[in-house]
Every structure is written in structure tokens, then in C-alpha cells.
Amino acid sequence: MKIAFVGKGGSGKTTLSSLFVAYLADAGLPVLAIDADINQHLAVALGATEEEALAWPTLGDNMTLIKDYLRGDNPRIPDAASMIKTTPPGRGSRLVRPFEDNPVFSACFRQLDGVRLGVTGQFDEDDLGVKCYHSKVGAAELLLNHMVDVDGEYVVMDMTAGADAFASGLFTRFDVTFLVCEPTVRSVGVYRQYADYARDFGVRLVVVGNKVTDAEDVEFLQEQVGGALLGWMSASRHVRAAERGAARPIAELEPRNLETLSSMRATVDAEQRDWARYQRQAVEFHLRNARAWAGADLVSQVDPEFVLSPQLAVQSS
């Protein structure tokens, strides 16, 4: 299952994604997490020190390696430089499993408390005024386009705030998208914007309330988002302790909040991916990018007879 966390900036998106990742890992489940937020805080939220987080290898700095590895011997892609963030896999491409060993995972991912964690990387001085953040997130999009995950495997991405994910086809790469929503008009506004953009693409959008303090907050969320509301997270001493650097085991989270995490996992586990649609949407957004800015010649990268599926054996290096 591929899972995204989105929401208004400051809504607690990273906090909730880290709690969900820790909840899965504590259950002994295999979790691959990717921090794709422009504010790179997921590593620290999962227990890394600030120094460890700053030293973490990044997907953005390894884009050439990622492209070259995923390209494999696909005859439609002559070299790594010709790939863009939306390039879909085809016959000859290398596919990856989220928990295998390969050069990309060796270079870009590290283990942290039972979680395989990668980060897209943050802006540095050389990027300012020159690049948009999607130049880094594009590495994660390429990886998800070529990833074959199966039942019992969890890939969790902490996304950029607001509706930034719609700058590419990345928003279609997930089986469930959890939108973290505070009981405020502005936060609900982000939900409505996201729901409007996602409506025509079969995105499974689920709202999880956060920073809920009383029954009025719950009532507000229920009135504003209706049946999209799965549950909510109440004010948490556990989270406050973690924010002060005193991380506690996830099992010590308040029972009511643990119930919400349990409901989130049940929602994810109930989903069934349509692999044909998954591939079709990857192709659709690649064609859009090719025709809009990357060059119409990149249309030829599409292999019309290829469909990503769990039955495909991962090609060896």
C-alpha cells in the first residue's frame, strides 16, 4: 500500500505521518517512509537527532543514479538525461521492491527504528531562485512509478503542504491519501481544494482531524467534511513530549488516538489497487508534461504494451 499525508501547512501533517509510520513499525510491519515536504522534519519526528537528519542522504542529490538505475535497458530511453520525473516504466526498465537491496536504496535510504527512510532533500543556497521544489520531489515520483509493492508492505510519504502535489502526477501514486485537517475554516478550505482537484482521478481521500480539543471541534469537522472524516487526534501529551525531544514508545500514545491510528490502518488495508489504472495515469501525466514543457519527442518513452503489476519479476542489475 502506498499512502500519502497532505494538508495545510502547520496542520500537523508530519506529526501524524510519523505517528502512523511508528504505529506500523511497532506492529512489526515493513515500512518505507519518504519525506517529500519542503520542510524536512520527518526524520526528527521519527527519532533522529537534528545532526543525523542533516547528514541523511537525499533522493534529490542522487537523481542521476536513480534515473540511470531505473532506465535499465529500456530501448525507449537512450540515457538518464532524457528521463523526466514522470517517465513511466516500460519493457527493459528496472522495477524495484520497497525492501530489496539495490544501489538506489543503498545510496538514498537508511534504517531508523525499524523504518526504511528516505528524504527528498531541502533547498540549499544553490537552489534559491533557480529551481522549484519539484526538482527534488521528482526523484520520489520516478521511484514510485517504478515500484512494485505487495500486500503487507507499506510505503508512506509526507507530502508538501497545500495543493502543491498537483504540480505533477504524484498525487495519483497513492492508494489512500490522508488529509490532515484542523477544525478551522482555512484547513477545511485546503481539504475542499484538494477534493476538487482529485475528484476526476479516483483518489481515495480520507480526512483525519487534528488538534481537536472538544466536542465543538468534532462537530465542526463533521459538518464541514461529512463522510470523508475518518477520525481525529486529540491534544496529546505524548506528542508534546516528543516535540520537546523526549520521544516515547508509540504504545504509550493516548488510547483514543491509538484508535484513530488503528482505523487508518484498517482503511489502508481494505484498499485494492487497480494496476491498469495506476499505469494509465502515469502515462497520462507523462504525456501532459511532454507536450507542455519537456518536449513532444518524450512521448516516445511510453511503452503502450507495458502494465506495471505484482506479477512482474524485478529485473536484476
Side-chain angles (χ1 to χ4, degrees), residues 88-270:
R91 286 169 293 182
S93 298
R94 283 195 180 96
L95 307 180
V96 297
R97 292 286 302 277
F99 303 100
E100 70 179 10
D101 294 323
N102 63 47
V104 172
F105 289 143
S106 295
C108 304
F109 288 77
R110 298 289 183 269
Q111 289 294 123
L112 179 61
D113 292 338
V115 176
R116 175 174 267 190
L117 174 66
V119 304
T120 53
Q122 58 189 3
F123 266 14
D124 56 36
E125 290 185 4
D126 292 337
D127 297 323
L128 296 176
V130 178
K131 298 179 181 177
C132 73
Y133 189 63
H134 301 100
S135 63
K136 299 181 184 294
V137 177
E141 185 170 354
L142 265 175
L143 202 56
L144 293 188
N145 276 345
H146 291 74
M147 184 177 290
V148 179
D149 51 321
V150 299
D151 289 347
E153 296 177 335
Y154 298 84
V155 178
V156 181
M157 184 177 287
D158 182 16
M159 300 279 281
T160 54
D164 252 15
F166 290 97
S168 72
L170 185 59
F171 73 98
T172 67
R173 302 298 83 194
F174 305 101
D175 301 291
V176 177
T177 297
F178 289 117
L179 189 140
V180 182
C181 189
E182 300 168 90
T184 67
V185 171
R186 289 180 61 193
S187 199
V188 168
V190 170
Y191 158 71
R192 289 177 177 160
Q193 182 184 35
Y194 210 108
D196 185 54
Y197 288 159
R199 183 170 293 111
D200 295 332
F201 296 94
V203 173
R204 178 79 163 96
L205 186 61
V206 178
V207 175
V208 178
N210 194 34
K211 304 181 184 178
V212 170
T213 59
D214 54 30
E216 287 187 5
D217 286 345
V218 174
E219 183 179 355
F220 175 83
L221 288 171
Q222 289 172 334
E223 289 176 349
Q224 297 297 318
V225 307
L229 182 65
L230 174 70
W232 55 89
M233 303 292 287
S234 302
S236 170
R237 295 173 61 88
H238 180 282
V239 171
R240 293 296 293 167
E243 290 173 344
R244 291 192 293 264
R248 300 172 178 173
I250 190 67
E252 295 182 11
L253 188 67
E254 297 81 8
R256 179 66 186 78
N257 291 333
L258 282 172
E259 288 178 13
T260 297
L261 294 178
S262 177
S263 296
M264 292 167 66
R265 179 187 168 187
T267 298
V268 168
D269 289 345

